[in-house]
């Protein structure tokens, strides 16, 4: 017979967490991430304080740098907002990358073919609408299969990414190629380029409006309510008379449409052309942004800015301190890991077996 | 005839890294963990495997031993992948974070680490990282004598591959046996299908999940090393490695979560990857390259349509298990 062993500790779900405690834990995880990042710099033989200083000045120090940082944050925020309704519904849309690309294709079609025939504002509007439509339709496909046959949406949307990216590669080398053999789609005509406001393409205004829209949509609309009920329990939703399939399709179209809009912004505002890497991992990074913000649109602004600062700032370390650019991915990864891990300490309490009496007294 | 043999031969060569990536992910997913960080794990394995072989050769000088170099490369790649997936395991199994999000974070982190190590070695060693030709041959040539390879038609196909092909096939067979024929394998499957039931049966859920995910990550990491040391010619090449990890995630679905299917599945995917180089069809080459993903989607759709129980993803795939929440 083995003697019964009392486990060293057990876990309990934390009921209501005070906001202050939650934020204290998040702050601690943030500090921990900075610390681990610092250790890496130290290990590489660099002064961590200088490295972090360089990241800050490199991303926020000069006006041009600040603009670049904003430019990185805009698609991140827009895509995170797009993903939020899906994730609220527990529909794991990993396909933002592809929906962005699909939107960029839709916008580019008009940019290439109608640039000389339409006045710029009208052209830009049509490009935007076309981007939204393409993104929405691309997102609708996995939603249909999920709603009808329960096909695994994580894997489905993931595969869809590479299909549409492959299509862009085909367009680049085929029908939309500029100079023969260049494998490059020519730059957009000026009429098809988003105007700049305060030095950054006006996409930043659009995503701020979207932030407000998603906040209202998720919290104060019937659609938002249906989404959260389905997320909690599809069975309850069905019992209450909601058409789960319809809401799934509608939400995915909204999500894909917003991703498509982001694709339009990136192609028209930032790159002024279309190429296969137009999404550039934003679709994946934005998923972490949305999740770490607890799907709160305003928190997404902060987190997308943080990641943009890390990305842009660590990129400048190459010239300043001869550290390869890829350090930005490592530092970003460490921040994501720490912030993901810290949610556990917010949601659960660790109760040590020895400490039970004491806790009973306190309780 | 020769063209067909060359195609199959190259399909096997190009499919082998995928085979390792896929086998690792199958083992991981069988425990109910969906680790989307395979791309990152393969980057880490590739860069550190190369680093292991390179620095060993540098230290050993003329007395370099090919077999030892290979063992070191495999060990480094395995450890890199295992370490990456250990981070994933701690965050998702013990700390119960969302697997999709953590996996994506691992993909970002791992590709960063891989590229960083690759670039760092290049700058430290003055621009070019390559092992000696002797060692290169050891990694890339067949382990069988030339006479066997000279057998007409089948000689090259059976005995002409690098050693990782044979090791991979053996590993796939062993893993298939382990998962479907042993008690531990049965326990592992039950953890992936219904952790609550497994828990009630007295199976240590956390231990199985940890072991399967960490070992799986290590095997995926070896895949990255195999790519770098064979196809890429023992030179760090992040562009070539890009996307292989995601393709491995696709191949897991295509194989219906069976390691033995990974053998021929990887050859098929390898063929699809290089077909455009060898066969002239009136389809643009970029359309060829998305075929693996399209084929995977079709398989995914059909398995969900047919609802055959043996072909479904592990029931609890992607869901964290928390005993108190049953």
């Amino acid at each position: 017979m083995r003697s019964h062993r009392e486990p060293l500790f057990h876990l309990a779900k934390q009921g209501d967490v005070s906001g202050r405690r939650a934020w204290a834990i998040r702050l601690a995880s943030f500090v921990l991430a900075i610390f681990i990042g610092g250790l890496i710099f130290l290990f590489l033989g660099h002064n961590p304080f200088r490295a972090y200083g360089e990241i800050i000045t490199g991303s926020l120090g000069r006006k041009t740098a600040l603009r670049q940082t904003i430019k990185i944050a805009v698609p991140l925020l827009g895509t995170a907002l797009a993903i939020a309704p899906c994730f609220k519904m527990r529909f794991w849309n990993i396909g933002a990358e592809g929906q962005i690309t699909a939107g960029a294709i839709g916008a580019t079609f008009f940019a290439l073919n109608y640039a000389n025939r339409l006045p710029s504002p009208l052209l830009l509007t049509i490009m935007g609408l076309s981007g939204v439509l393409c993104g929405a339709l691309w997102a609708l496909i996995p939603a249909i299969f999920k709603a009808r046959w329960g096909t695994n949406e994580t894997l489905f949307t993931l595969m869809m990414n590479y299909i549409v990216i492959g299509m862009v590669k085909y367009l680049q080398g085929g029908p939309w190629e500029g100079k023969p053999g260049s494998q490059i789609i020519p730059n957009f005509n000026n009429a098809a380029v988003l105007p700049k406001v305060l030095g950054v393409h006006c996409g930043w205004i659009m995503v701020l409006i979207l932030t407000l829209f998603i906040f209202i949509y998720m919290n104060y609309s019937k659609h938002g309510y249906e989404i959260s009920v389905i997320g909690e329990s599809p069975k309850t939703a069905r019992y209450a008379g909601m058409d789960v399939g319809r809401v799934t399709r509608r939400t995915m179209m909204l999500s894909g449409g917003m991703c498509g809009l982001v694709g339009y912004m990136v192609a028209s505002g930032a790159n002024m052309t279309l190429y296969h890497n137009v999404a550039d991992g934003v679709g994946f990074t934005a998923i972490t942004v949305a999740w770490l913000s607890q799907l709160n649109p305003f928190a997404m602004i902060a987190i997308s800015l943080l990641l943009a600062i890390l990305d842009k700032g660590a990129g400048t370390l190459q010239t300043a301190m001869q550290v390869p650019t890829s350090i930005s991915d490592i530092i970003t990864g460490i921040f994501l890991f720490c912030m993901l891990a810290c949610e556990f300490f917010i949601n659960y309490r660790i109760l040590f077996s020895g400490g039970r009496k004491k806790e009973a007294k306190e309780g | 005839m020769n063209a067909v043999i060359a195609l199959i031969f190259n399909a096997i060569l190009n499919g082998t890294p995928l085979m390792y990536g896929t086998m690792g992910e199958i083992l991981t997913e069988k425990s109910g963990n969906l680790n989307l960080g395979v791309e990152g794990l393969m980057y880490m394995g590739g860069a550190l495997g190369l680093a292991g072989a390179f620095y060993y050769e540098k230290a050993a000088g003329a007395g370099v031993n090919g077999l030892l170099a290979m063992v070191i490369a495999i060990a480094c790649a395995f450890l890199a992948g295992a370490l990456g997936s250990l981070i994933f395991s701690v965050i998702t199994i013990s700390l119960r974070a969302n697997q999709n999000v953590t996996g994506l974070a691992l993909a970002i982190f791992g590709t960063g680490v891989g590229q960083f190590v690759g670039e760092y070695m290049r700058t430290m060693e003055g621009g070019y990282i390559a092992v000696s030709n002797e060692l290169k041959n050891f990694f890339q040539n067949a382990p069988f004598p030339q006479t066997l390879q000279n057998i007409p038609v089948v000689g090259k196909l059976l005995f002409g591959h690098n050693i990782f092909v044979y090791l991979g096939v053996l590993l796939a067979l062993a893993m298939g046996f382990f998962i479907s024929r042993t008690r531990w394998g049965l326990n592992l499957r039950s953890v992936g299908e219904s952790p609550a039931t497994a828990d009630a049966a007295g199976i240590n859920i956390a231990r199985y999940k940890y072991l399967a995910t960490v070992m799986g990550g290590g095997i995926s990491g070896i895949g990255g090393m195999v790519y770098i040391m064979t196809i890429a010619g023992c030179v760090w090449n992040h562009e070539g490695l890009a996307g292989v990890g995601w393709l491995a995630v696709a191949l897991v679905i295509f194989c219906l979560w069976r390691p033995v299917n990974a053998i021929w599945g990887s050859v098929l995917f390898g063929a699809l990857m290089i077909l455009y180089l060898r066969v002239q069809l009136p389809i643009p080459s970029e359309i060829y390259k998305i075929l693996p993903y399209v084929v995977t989607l079709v398989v995914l759709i059909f398995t969900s349509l047919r609802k055959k129980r043996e072909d479904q993803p592990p029931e609890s795939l992607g869901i964290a298990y928390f005993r108190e929440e049953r």
Side-chain angles (χ1 to χ4, degrees), chain B residues 220-297:
Chain B
S220 296
I222 294 177
M225 184 274 291
V226 171
Y227 179 88
I228 294 296
M229 300 309 276
T230 60
I231 301 168
C234 301
V235 178
W236 174 245
N237 175 356
H238 69 92
E239 272 156 20
L241 197 51
V244 177
W246 296 114
L247 207 54
V249 176
L251 188 53
V252 172
I253 306 164
F254 184 81
C255 298
L256 300 172
W257 291 267
R258 292 190 194 119
V260 179
N261 286 357
I263 300 171
W264 64 268
S266 64
V267 177
L268 180 67
F269 272 40
L272 290 175
M273 280 158 78
I274 55 154
L275 200 59
Y276 72 97
L277 292 172
R278 313 220 155 233
V279 184
Q280 289 294 325
L281 282 184
I283 318 173
S285 64
E286 297 301 338
I287 301 296
Y288 267 121
K289 288 186 202 162
I290 63 176
L291 278 177
Y293 300 106
V294 177
V295 169
T296 304
L297 258 192

Side-chain angles (χ1 to χ4, degrees), chain A residues 11 13 44 87 92 94 145 149 151-152 154-156 158-160 162-163 166-167 169-170 284-285 287-288 291 323-327 329-330 332-334 336-337 340-341 344-345 348, chain B residues 34 36 87 91 94-98 100-102 104-106 108-109 112-113 115-116 119-120 246 249-250 253 257 284 286-287 290 293-294 296-297 300-301 304-305 307 322 324-325:
Chain A
L11 301 166
K13 193 138 196 177
L44 294 172
F87 272 38
W92 306 114
I94 311 290
F145 281 97
W149 293 289
T151 314
N152 184 319
T154 313
L155 303 170
F156 201 120
L158 184 66
M159 296 305 114
M160 297 276 289
Y162 298 100
I163 294 175
M167 284 182 194
K169 282 187 186 158
Y170 160 67
F284 293 131
T285 314
I287 287 167
T288 59
W291 189 254
V323 181
T325 332
S326 39
I327 190 80
D329 283 340
I330 299 180
T332 305
I334 290 170
L336 294 177
F337 286 143
L340 277 166
F344 172 80
F345 297 98
Y348 296 93
Chain B
L34 178 61
L36 291 178
I87 301 174
I91 296 178
S94 294
L95 302 181
R96 302 195 176 111
N98 180 290
N100 295 332
V101 182
T102 313
L104 293 174
L106 179 61
I108 295 170
F109 177 77
V113 170
Q115 284 217 50
F116 186 87
E119 286 170 46
Y120 200 73
W246 296 114
V249 176
I253 306 164
W257 291 267
E286 297 301 338
I287 301 296
I290 63 176
Y293 300 106
V294 177
T296 304
L297 258 192
L300 188 65
I301 291 169
S304 71
L305 284 181
K307 304 240 182 301
F322 184 34
E324 285 84 343
E325 254 170 22

Side-chain angles (χ1 to χ4, degrees), chain A residues 164-303:
Chain A
V164 72
I165 289 170
M167 284 182 194
V168 177
K169 282 187 186 158
Y170 160 67
L171 290 171
Q172 258 179 276
W176 290 1
E177 191 178 33
K179 231 184 279 161
S182 66
Q183 300 274 327
I184 292 172
I185 295 171
N187 271 9
F188 290 175
N189 189 310
N190 277 338
V193 173
L194 275 177
K196 286 185 177 176
V197 179
L198 298 177
V200 184
H201 67 82
C202 65
W204 67 270
I205 301 177
M206 291 190 229
V207 291
L208 286 182
I209 296 171
L210 278 181
T211 311
L212 213 58
F213 165 73
I214 283 291
F215 178 73
I216 295 167
Y217 182 81
M218 298 285 285
N219 294 302
Y220 300 104
S221 78
K222 186 175 160 231
H223 286 189
Y225 180 70
E226 286 175 335
I227 288 170
S228 57
V229 172
I230 292 175
E232 287 296 319
S233 159
K235 281 181 189 152
T236 312
R238 240 175 245 124
Y239 184 70
M242 292 174 195
D243 185 343
V244 175
R246 212 178 121 238
V247 177
T248 306
R249 290 192 293 270
R250 185 182 70 203
T251 310
M252 265 307 266
M253 281 190 79
L254 173 76
S255 177
M258 286 170 66
C259 289
L261 189 69
V262 171
Y264 153 69
M265 283 177 210
V266 175
S268 167
N271 299 342
M272 292 160 221
T273 182
L274 172 70
Y275 74 119
H276 67 92
N277 208 11
V278 56
D280 198 19
V282 164
F284 293 131
T285 314
I287 287 167
T288 59
V289 174
W291 189 254
L292 292 173
S293 321
Q294 313 268 305
L295 309 184
N296 175 341
F298 299 112
M300 284 176 202
I301 300 180
I303 296 197

Side-chain angles (χ1 to χ4, degrees), chain B residues 45-119:
Chain B
L48 285 150
L50 174 63
F54 177 76
Y55 285 110
Y56 160 70
E57 189 181 36
K58 209 176 160 198
V64 61
N65 179 337
L67 195 62
L68 189 58
M70 192 174 282
V71 170
I72 288 175
I74 292 176
C76 286
F78 183 87
L79 284 178
L83 203 67
S85 53
L86 182 64
I87 301 174
F88 174 86
S89 301
V90 170
I91 296 178
T92 60
I93 301 169
S94 294
L95 302 181
R96 302 195 176 111
N98 180 290
Q99 292 179 11
N100 295 332
V101 182
T102 313
L104 293 174
L106 179 61
I108 295 170
F109 177 77
T111 47
V113 170
Q115 284 217 50
F116 186 87
V117 171
E119 286 170 46

Side-chain angles (χ1 to χ4, degrees), chain A residues 93 95-107 127-142 160 164 249 251-264:
Chain A
N93 176 14
E97 191 90 352
Q99 289 144 24
I100 292 172
T101 312
I105 294 179
M127 281 168 65
L129 289 177
S130 160
V132 169
L133 190 71
C134 287
L137 289 179
W138 196 250
L140 180 62
I141 302 170
M160 297 276 289
V164 72
R249 290 192 293 270
T251 310
M252 265 307 266
M253 281 190 79
L254 173 76
S255 177
M258 286 170 66
C259 289
L261 189 69
V262 171
Y264 153 69

